[in-house]
Amino acid sequence: MAQILQYLANGLVFSSIIILGSIGLSLVYSIADFANFAHGDTMTLGAYGAFVAFGVFGGLGGTVLGLPIGFFLALAVGMALAAIVAVLTHILVYKPLDTDSIGLLITSIGVAFVYRAVLQASFGTDFLQYDIRRSGPIPLLLDTLDVAVTQRDVAIIVSAAVLVAGLHLLLQRTTLGRKMRATADNPDLARVSGIRTDRVILVMWVVGSALAAAGGVFLALYSQLDPRIGFNILLVVFAAVILGGIGSVYGAMLGGLLIGMLHELTPLLSDVGLPISNAYAPAVAFVIMVAVLLVRPRGIAGDMT
Amino acid sequence: SGGAPEDGGGGDGGDGESTDASTDSGSETYTIGMVDSLSGSLSAFGQRNQRGKEIALDDINSVGVSGGELAISQQDDQSTSQGGVSAAQTLVNQEEVPLLIGTVGSGVSTAIHESVVQNTDVVQISQNSTSPNLTNFPDLLRMPPAGKAQAEAISSLLNEDGNESAALAWINNDYGQSVGEAFIEAYDGEIVYNEPHDQGQSSYSSTISSMSDTDADAWVFITYQPEFATMSQEAFDLGVTDQAAWYGGDSVKGPKVLESAPEGSLDGMKAVVPSVPQDAENYQAFVSEFEERFGEEPTSWSAYAYDAVVVSALAIEAADEFTGSALMEVVRDVTRPEGEEATTYEEAHEILANGGSPSDVDYTGVSGPIDLDENGDPVGLLQVFEVVDHAYEPAGFIEG
Amino acid sequence: MSTLDVGAYSPREKGVVGLLGALGALLLIAVVTGFLAPAYLLYLVGLSAMYMLLSMGLNVQWGYGGMINFSVAAFFGLGAYGTALLTASGSPISGGVSPVIALFGGLALAAVLAVIIGYPTLKLRDDYLAIASLGLAEVVRIFILNESQWTAGSAGLTGIPLFFSDWPVLGDLTYPYVFYAGGTPVFNMSQSVVTSFLNVVLVTVIVAAVYLFLRRIHQSPWGRVLRTIRTDEDLAETLGKNTFAFKMQAFVIGSLIMALAGVFYSHLVLFVSPQDLQPITTFYVWVAVILGGTGSDRGAMLGGFTIVAIQQGTRFMTDTGALPIGAAPLRLMLVGLLIIFIVRLRPEGILPPERELIWPDSLGGGRDE
Amino acid sequence: MTDPILTVDSVDSGYGEVQVLDDLSLTLGEGEIACLVGPNGAGKSTVLKTVFGMLEPWTGSVRLGDREIGGMAPEDIVRIGVGYVPQTENVFGSLTIDENLRMGGVARDGGLDEVVAELYDRFPILDDKRTANAKTLSGGQRQVLAFARALVMEPDVLLIDEPSAGLAPNTAKEVFDDVETVNELGTSILMVEQNAREGLGISDRGFVLDQGTVKFEGEADSLLDDPEVSRLYLGGESRR
Amino acid sequence: MSEQSLVSDGPVLGKTDPVLRAEGLEKRFGGLVATDDASIEVERGTITGLIGPNGAGKSTLFNLVSGFYEPDAGSVSVNGVNVTGQKPHEIADQGMIRTFQTPRKPEGMTVREALLVGPHNQTGESIIPLFTSPSTVEQEERRSLEQAQQMLERFEIGDLATQPATDLSGGQMKLVELARGMMAEPDLLLLDEPVAGVNPVLADKLAGFIEELNEEGITFLIIEHDMNFIMRLADPIIVLNQGSVLVEGPPEAVRSDERVIDAYLGGPSE
Ligand SMILES: Nc1ncnc2c1ncn2[C@@H]1O[C@H](COP(=O)(O)OP(=O)(O)OP(=O)(O)O)[C@@H](O)[C@H]1O
Ligand SMILES: Nc1ncnc2c1ncn2[C@@H]1O[C@H](COP(=O)(O)OP(=O)(O)OP(=O)(O)O)[C@@H](O)[C@H]1O
Ligand SMILES: [Mg+2]
Ligand SMILES: [Mg+2]
């Protein structure tokens, strides 16, 4: 039992990171209408931005959820940086293009290479770490539930939840969400209705990349930082988005949760008598994903929006 | 910026002319090729290799090679065999280098050897590949010892320390697989967990969780630094660092690993690393030079790259002419123990320049005695390190 | 490769053909003047041809039928593994089979897998197919990586013979091979030149055969139905076309062509490992097809060539010391920028399809592709 | 004719390189309904698209009152009181009916709820399906929704492309009635209609377009009575 | 009153030689019942009209009989073969082709290519004959091409043959959709509002064309709100209301039926 709880706890942390990545990707997917292969590297970019900023603010006193206040400032800087870069990329690269969604996809591969090249040139390829002390499992939970969860894990989950809730409010409480969906559905008609689609798209890039950056920062906090972390996780993030149903932000959350959990729960299979090695964990996740798609060909939230 | 400037006198392939000994004047430039993983999944190794290479080039060119200079034409293998073969094609067939240093991944080195180097007049020296498979290619030389010796060393450590059962986590590539297999073969105790993991994952908590589910006395990690760093942190977060004794191979030891691990969490861990005695003068000099330039300690991998370049230069110095066959004839000799021990390029160069024959020299590098055998493998000297008070302390030697 | 085509060219095509001609001439001059080594050039030609095959294969699936297949690397890998497992001395299951027979082994393996992957996933649409195929491709890679008793696992397979190794004359050449004309030696060639040359001959034959085959099926009612499926599957269904069957045919044909590229790769590089199934190959092939011009066979070939030109051309732009950036990131950046610029300048690809999918001869005086 | 509220003056326009409108001029008087008729492909929809900024006029000018609007962006044109109902793809399929209507009013300053409520009253067909996604609507229901969406802004000038296409006779009648009602409330209307007799029937003026230029224009009634126009463009009798 | 008696309450069933027979079709979308126990028969050789208010379920009925929707209840047979639950292409194989109310526009094809997809069972649609009997393929292709060109001329869009099929006006798209269906030469052609948005003068000509094809043996089932058009062509006319058949009968009788006027036609036109 404690074992399962432990796996679930691990899964929750990992899912939080994936969810942040997949929401942003899903936003871009539905509104700019292409699979953005630079999204992973946007995550990395945010993580490096925060790394540099943490070098400056790191010393700021006080802690929240076991993390220094300076870290959250750095997080904000990373998010802002990613947003700025994404907006610039949109203006300089994507917007002037006269091509279809696959053409944009290919372009985004080029963009990803450029981001990565800049990061690799500036920081090298070796891994780095935010200089924050690890404190080990929270004794209370370890004693009562026999589940090891660190403050850092809690911080990741809580921050992700806050960001997701913020996005939810943004989409539900303002007309922005509706405008975004309208723009995604039919950009011409959106303009005819008076929606300033240019602005909607800019906002989408800002929100999507900032969330991606947050995902990247937490990812780096969780493991470590190198120029490939975002790219390495991109496939999983894509799987989450598709599994959830393209274009559905809430689907992306669900997909992220599911994929993150699947990833961490594979050892359970052996416990229940299916001797499948951990090496097949990604394979198991993919097979389950395909199976889900066969039952719901448009993703879990496919027709719900 | 901390980045690796790759100039270091590296030959610029762009002009296509800087191949072999170019002029007949006093200062000739000897251009050899180097394939390295500058991008892709192994690029962290590549970066360290570049740093080692750079120091080696400076050390060599401050003394000179056969009255000239050594230049290295550099190509990236993108950590893939396709990229490696293309890189080697460029160097071997286009730039016609007689000696090729390359590369990191064992599979990539093999691919280069099979499809480009074999049957040509070119010597290949791998700077980082440890797979036992390379032993089957006697013409494919390498600097690090085959992983087998290391695996045996780890298992005898485990046996000595009285561990009756072990959990083994290995990285799912040629290196991890072969070292892992060798370990299992050599180990007397029971293997209660034996699983590969993929490189570059963001989380290894399922691996750690599974290991902690076993009651193994020892945990053995055959993996790379970033992966091990993640695992050790996750183990700390799960509060299981003290559950078993930890052991690891060479690639889990590194300053970064310690830096990123919580204070004290790795204490007691033992790692087996092929190297010269840490107090050896040449090694100390290498370390301080490296630290001065790049602000961090070198790893054994940078040391191999350094030695690969030095051995190449010594071969050029010792050979009659700048061709693959001539180099092949002498390259083993300059490292063999028959001659007089030289611990720096300068010393070795001196012996050769004073009319010494190739076998009069025994270059003992910053990575170990080298002593290339007929299969092109070095005789590794293995050193055991133990983490004490969050620092690596030497804890004895094992002959490979 | 455009010399294979007949018929008049549009201005755009003339431009591209002219450019290719100029490039060819330049390369030739480079070889004659010794600037470019023949063995290296031949290797590049072989590599380009391999990418051409991959792109043509993907073009059948995506360009004709609109199937977003992200498992290119898997089929490429299966072709490579199929032939390697049968021929290589290091093979754990067989080895020693003649490469000509093994070729069919590789293709059979790919065909079986194409049906297994295609059956469930071809019912999915667009991006869902993309990620499902990518996922299944990963499953294939992970399988090959872990089932070492059959595949040798991560160690890879060594000891793969050259394709012509057991052919009567070609297999018995001695090196350096001296070419006599009337009793006097004219020139001699090193082994690497000869093997590269033979490889190029082999792959040229394969590329030409595939191209001619595709040219015929593409501009036929069959190709037209696929094009319809591509934009509107429902429409094709109402018109009585069994869309699943059409898609499956295209999927299998495309996969076989990719596997063919893998077979060739095996005998070119003589070493295969699970790494060769990494998704990165898939991305490069996609880039090739899009840059070449979706839906055009010539475009696919040109795209295959372009991608190799980008990959290899940037090798020579090593560090000059003038820029504050190392060679590897510089190269990565150049590749990225080139991709962006080509899409910017030629949004529909360098050689987009310009012909209608109508059986060539029935238009009377029409051109064909 | 009343003072012109909308003037299209010697406009050339088209798609990419292809020219469709050729030196086309027409005017819509304040408070009028004008109807554009003509064969398929004559350029009727292209006129509306050019006026509404979906296409930029190549030459000539488009004026709203005295203000030049040629080449202005649609989202700005909406804000100066012009509404547009496209011929095809005129609803947001993945949004609900209610959301579609609200999207029609993003540029409003307030009073959105009131207008929407009023529209539900006027089109019960929509009221029944407030929360249904627009893509599930029948062809005719969709057409009504598209019309209603444009009314949310309560525009001064309304451009409508084939409001009755796909509508059942009774619904078509209602929509034409609505067009008249909207007009009576002060909106000037430029309408394209293939159901030419009915369209001209409720209009003040008519324009017959063929091959990108105005072939005939005048009082709607006089066009209806013109035998040549009837034969070439309007067909035998009323279509409903 | 005499006319009134010609009109049948509900559908006329038990026709002698129906090409299409749909029995008790039911389709629900969530709570909404789009078709409710709808039964129709289309007699061979007729042009049958299908009218009814917006949202009555006409297009849904088309989707059900052509295999795009799975009925919740009921059965469909074409040419006497039960096709319930079959895939659209299998049903098309039985000889029934449909058009869509919202025209489908194939990207990257010219107008005539779009028409050439129409003909059924072309030899060149299989791969092997492309290599074994290219001349047959060529002949068929020539024939279809010629037919397509003629068709376009009749539809007054002959000059658009080599134009991209996406660059068309709304009405032109409808014409291409119609022409493509006709190219298939099925036993039964289902047309969903073929002349909505088509110029009335051209619509008249198309009516003549449909009559010709009908004489050549094609049976039609046509949904259309253009009374002029449908009254001229169709006999009988089936009126659908709220998902089931309200009445069926000859055009004039249907037109003057009170129930039809109430539900569909509205008051007399001014
Ligand atoms: N998106 C487009 N791209 C290129 N050409 C177009 C496009 N849309 C329409 N056309 C062409 O422009 C001409 C005029 O089209 P337009 O849509 O204005 O006609 P219309 O009078 O509205 O016809 P209809 O009554 O059929 O709707 C037609 O010949 C058509 O083929
Ligand atoms: N996919 C769907 N999901 C939900 N409701 C649907 C769907 N398709 C149709 N409906 C509903 O079923 C009813 C019948 O629609 P249908 O399209 O058959 O009408 P129709 O008779 O063709 O009308 P029109 O003449 O306006 O085209 C409508 O109320 C419509 O909203
Ligand atoms: Mg129009
Ligand atoms: Mg309908």
Side-chain angles (χ1 to χ4, degrees), chain B residues 308-327:
Chain B
V309 178
V310 171
V311 169
S312 306
L314 288 175
I316 295 170
E317 179 75 43
D320 300 336
E321 52 179 344
F322 191 53
T323 64
S325 41
L327 293 170

Side-chain angles (χ1 to χ4, degrees), chain C residues 175-208:
Chain C
Y175 301 100
Y177 177 71
V178 186
F179 184 82
Y180 293 96
T184 49
V186 182
F187 56 86
N188 63 22
M189 292 186 287
S190 69
Q191 179 168 12
S192 53
V193 175
V194 175
T195 40
S196 310
F197 180 73
L198 290 178
N199 278 329
V200 166
V201 171
L202 170 70
V203 80
T204 308
V205 170
I206 298 178
V207 168

Side-chain angles (χ1 to χ4, degrees), chain D residues 18 38-42 45 87-89 125 129 138-142 144 162 165-173 177 180 194-196 198 230-240, chain E residues 32 52-56 59 101-102 105 163 169-173 175 193 195-204 224-229 255 261-270:
Chain D
V18 185
N40 295 113
S45 302
Q87 180 177 7
T88 53
E89 287 159 31
I125 228 179
K129 293 186 156 272
S138 82
Q141 294 165 339
R142 211 178 282 201
V144 173
E162 307 209 15
L167 295 189
N170 54 353
T171 318
K173 217 165 288 165
D177 287 350
E180 286 191 283
Q194 282 298 3
N195 193 355
E198 305 261 333
S230 273
R231 184 173 57 80
L232 288 175
Y233 302 106
L234 306 184
E237 40 190 305
S238 168
R239 305 183 72 198
R240 309 264 163 193
Chain E
L32 180 112
N54 295 120
S59 301
Q101 180 170 7
T102 318
K105 34 180 185 175
Q163 190 111 332
S169 78
Q172 290 166 342
M173 284 183 205
L175 294 172
E193 304 198 19
V195 296
V198 172
N199 179 272
V201 181
L202 181 56
D204 278 346
E224 186 50 71
H225 292 301
D226 183 336
M227 281 302 108
N228 191 23
F229 182 85
R255 177 173 238 173
I261 293 173
D262 266 3
Y264 182 56
L265 295 171
S269 90
E270 304 121 73

Side-chain angles (χ1 to χ4, degrees), chain B residues 238-264:
Chain B
L238 290 171
V240 297
T241 33
D242 297 331
Q243 193 179 318
W246 286 21
Y247 296 85
D250 50 357
S251 6
V252 301
K253 172 187 174 271
K256 283 265 159 116
V257 170
L258 274 192
E259 222 173 85
S260 62
E263 193 76 28

Side-chain angles (χ1 to χ4, degrees), chain C residues 224 227 232 241 356-357, chain E residues 108 110 112-113 125 141:
Chain C
R224 203 159 55 215
R227 171 67 67 77
D232 196 333
K241 322 293 180 194
E356 298 177 277
L357 299 182
Chain E
T110 62
R112 67 176 178 194
E113 272 178 285
E125 286 176 0
E141 193 83 342

Side-chain angles (χ1 to χ4, degrees), chain E residues 178-196:
Chain E
L178 178 60
R180 181 173 39 223
M182 291 179 169
M183 289 283 293
E185 300 186 335
D187 294 343
L188 172 62
L189 190 51
L190 310 186
L191 303 178
D192 197 344
E193 304 198 19
V195 296

